[in-house]
Amino acid sequence: MSRDICVHTWPCSYYLELEKQWVPGKLSLTSLSLKFMTDKTREILVNFPLSSIVEIKKEASYFIFSSITILEKDHNKHWFSSLQPSRNVVFSIIEHFWREMLLSQSGAAVEESSSPMTKGKELTGLMACTQKRLEDTARVLHHQGEQLDSISRGLDKMESDLDVADRLLTELESPSWWPFSFKLWKMPSETKPKWDASMASSKAFGKEGIVIKIPAVISQKTESHVKPGRLTVFVSGLEIHNSDSLLMHRFEREEVDDIKVHTPYEISIRQRFIGKPDIAYRLISAKMPEVIPILEVQFSKKIEFLEDALMLRSTRTSPLAEKGYSVWHAASGLLDQAMHCEPSSGNQEGRPLQLQMSEPLISEGDSQELRQLQSAVRHLDAER
């Protein structure tokens, strides 16, 4: 999936320093860049990467109009005003993506720009993503199995309690002179401790069942009021916290009615009620592409991809996956091809020397790492 996907677009005005005037247009944020396009001529006046930003501030132009200023490394300062729905919303989202890019993606971006992407590195990245996805899925499926075991134990306890109640009723209905009535008052002593132990283990697992935790920009009622916070995905539900780590809301798995994926970076979660307003949250995060596949596993019947987010599923499916092949099968073929490729001895007719001395398709270090990831992925897939 291409990383440079449009996250959000806002109507605003941009200040032209040379002409001393404000130009109406739209400010567009992608996962890697920021650009401004005029409404009248559709001309792109500003287009720069987020990595070149030095500072983002809230300022006022002429001490009246609220604006956002962005300072680049080359000391170019950009003024944006008349921001809709509000200056705080635009500032919070841009700052979030800028900070996340600096924290997690700046080193990778520099490495990619300095060295070309080899086939071995590309396959290693695919295998690592597959391994992480399988680990997350295995955690969710393991907890679902624990929940089914807990339900089964609960049904066994209910059945035992019904048997005891039936025997007590029989004792009450039987005559007092019946010689075996005292046996009916005996209750299974192991039932209650066994149930308490199962409940304790289930609760302990639920506390540690964090699948993933990401920072996010959160809005609840209207898009004009946002606040920074975080989204935590548990195997048993979802939690939304503010920037002070205070719990705003917890969705149990059965309480989530629908999850809508607006873009690869924006989702909304809703819980419906009868006779009172629904509880709904909208979240934007630079780390959201890592969460959406996990939500697909947990809420497969409740998640909906809107039109702008359909690219997430189409681009995520490779031609090999459509044909029924897995990533590690493709890696195995390329590994075998690379390991069995031997340089030819001697010059052949019309073949230059450079082709014979060319580097192998995959380096020795990449092949070893791929084989380790391959064995780990196969182990996870077998357990699943």
Side-chain angles (χ1 to χ4, degrees):
M1 181 176 58
S2 175
R3 295 168 59 199
D4 200 12
I5 299 174
C6 183
V7 177
H8 220 295
T9 301
W10 303 278
C12 69
S13 297
Y14 177 72
Y15 184 71
L16 288 175
E17 185 68 27
L18 297 177
E19 301 180 9
K20 305 296 182 182
Q21 66 175 356
W22 291 90
V23 180
K26 288 183 174 59
L27 177 64
S28 299
L29 170 69
T30 70
S31 56
L32 297 175
S33 63
L34 197 67
K35 68 179 180 180
F36 176 83
M37 179 185 294
T38 61
D39 288 337
K40 189 174 182 180
T41 61
R42 312 293 295 177
E43 179 185 0
I44 298 178
L45 299 180
V46 174
N47 190 2
F48 54 88
L50 295 178
S51 57
S52 67
I53 298 177
V54 176
E55 186 181 46
I56 302 176
K57 295 176 63 177
K58 298 178 184 179
E59 297 189 43
S61 58
Y62 301 108
F63 304 100
I64 299 175
F65 304 105
S66 61
S67 305
I68 291 177
T69 60
I70 299 177
L71 181 64
E72 290 190 80
K73 292 180 180 178
D74 55 2
H75 302 291
N76 287 335
K77 191 172 184 179
H78 306 279
W79 288 77
F80 300 95
S81 186
S82 303
L83 295 156
Q84 298 179 15
S86 70
R87 181 181 67 170
N88 292 334
V89 171
V90 180
F91 177 84
S92 299
I93 296 176
I94 294 177
E95 185 189 38
H96 165 79
F97 277 84
W98 174 54
R99 292 187 181 277
E100 288 301 315
M101 185 274 305
L102 292 179
L103 290 173
S104 62
Q105 298 179 1
S106 58
V110 171
E111 183 179 354
E112 289 179 4
S113 61
S114 60
S115 61
M117 176 66 73
T118 62
K119 182 62 68 175
K121 291 181 180 179
E122 185 178 354
L123 286 173
T124 303
L126 285 174
M127 294 289 289
C129 291
T130 304
Q131 182 184 9
K132 184 177 184 302
R133 203 60 45 79
L134 283 173
E135 288 175 353
D136 294 338
T137 305
R139 269 199 298 268
V140 174
L141 293 177
H142 175 72
H143 183 66
Q144 289 178 352
E146 290 283 335
Q147 287 181 325
L148 291 175
D149 292 341
S150 177
I151 292 173
S152 177
R153 286 191 292 266
L155 292 175
D156 292 340
K157 181 182 180 299
M158 291 173 61
E159 185 178 0
S160 176
D161 291 342
L162 289 174
D163 291 341
V164 172
D166 184 62
R167 283 189 295 234
L168 290 176
L169 289 175
T170 305
E171 170 67 19
L172 292 174
E173 293 175 356
S174 62
S176 59
W177 49 265
W178 185 250
F180 305 104
S181 60
F182 69 94
K183 294 183 180 180
L184 299 176
W185 290 95
K186 292 185 178 180
M187 298 179 62
S189 58
E190 72 278 1
T191 303
K192 193 174 188 306
K194 183 178 178 181
W195 172 252
D196 291 342
S198 65
M199 287 295 292
S201 63
S202 177
K203 290 182 179 179
F205 185 84
K207 290 180 181 178
E208 299 176 357
I210 297 178
V211 179
I212 192 171
K213 185 188 298 183
I214 62 168
V217 179
I218 305 164
S219 61
Q220 185 175 4
K221 296 182 179 180
T222 61
E223 295 184 2
S224 59
H225 295 86
V226 300
K227 59 182 68 176
R230 74 170 187 266
L231 170 67
T232 305
V233 180
F234 293 86
V235 287
S236 58
L238 307 171
E239 284 188 1
I240 299 174
H241 293 80
N242 60 14
S243 57
D244 297 326
S245 298
L246 297 177
L247 180 64
M248 297 176 62
H249 190 74
R250 175 178 172 86
F251 293 94
E252 299 294 340
R253 283 193 56 175
E254 62 274 6
E255 294 176 351
V256 176
D257 291 312
D258 61 71
I259 298 176
K260 293 184 179 180
V261 182
H262 302 273
T263 69
Y265 298 94
E266 184 176 4
I267 66 170
S268 59
I269 308 170
R270 182 172 61 166
Q271 178 183 0
R272 293 193 183 97
F273 292 95
I274 298 176
K276 60 179 182 178
D278 299 342
I279 296 178
Y281 286 88
R282 195 162 181 145
L283 300 98
I284 300 177
S285 175
K287 301 289 187 180
M288 196 63 72
E290 302 177 14
V291 176
I292 292 176
I294 300 173
L295 296 178
E296 283 189 86
V297 176
Q298 285 189 298
F299 306 95
S300 57
K301 296 182 179 180
K302 299 179 180 180
I303 192 168
E304 177 186 0
F305 286 80
L306 301 183
E307 185 176 356
D308 293 339
L310 290 177
M311 66 182 73
L312 177 67
R313 308 190 89 177
S314 60
T315 55
R316 204 173 58 199
T317 304
S318 63
L320 289 175
E322 292 177 358
K323 294 179 181 179
Y325 294 97
S326 57
V327 177
W328 51 87
H329 287 161
S332 300
L334 286 169
L335 276 172
D336 294 337
Q337 181 183 356
M339 296 301 293
H340 288 87
C341 281
E342 298 180 356
S344 59
S345 59
N347 273 339
Q348 298 181 5
E349 297 182 0
R351 181 169 297 182
L353 184 63
Q354 293 179 356
L355 292 179
Q356 300 172 28
M357 302 301 294
S358 61
E359 296 181 357
L361 183 63
I362 301 176
S363 65
E364 184 67 25
D366 289 339
S367 64
Q368 292 179 0
E369 187 175 358
L370 276 171
R371 289 198 183 280
Q372 293 176 358
L373 286 171
Q374 184 180 1
S375 61
V377 169
R378 279 177 174 170
H379 178 70
L380 286 171
D381 187 56
E383 288 185 349
R384 187 180 66 169

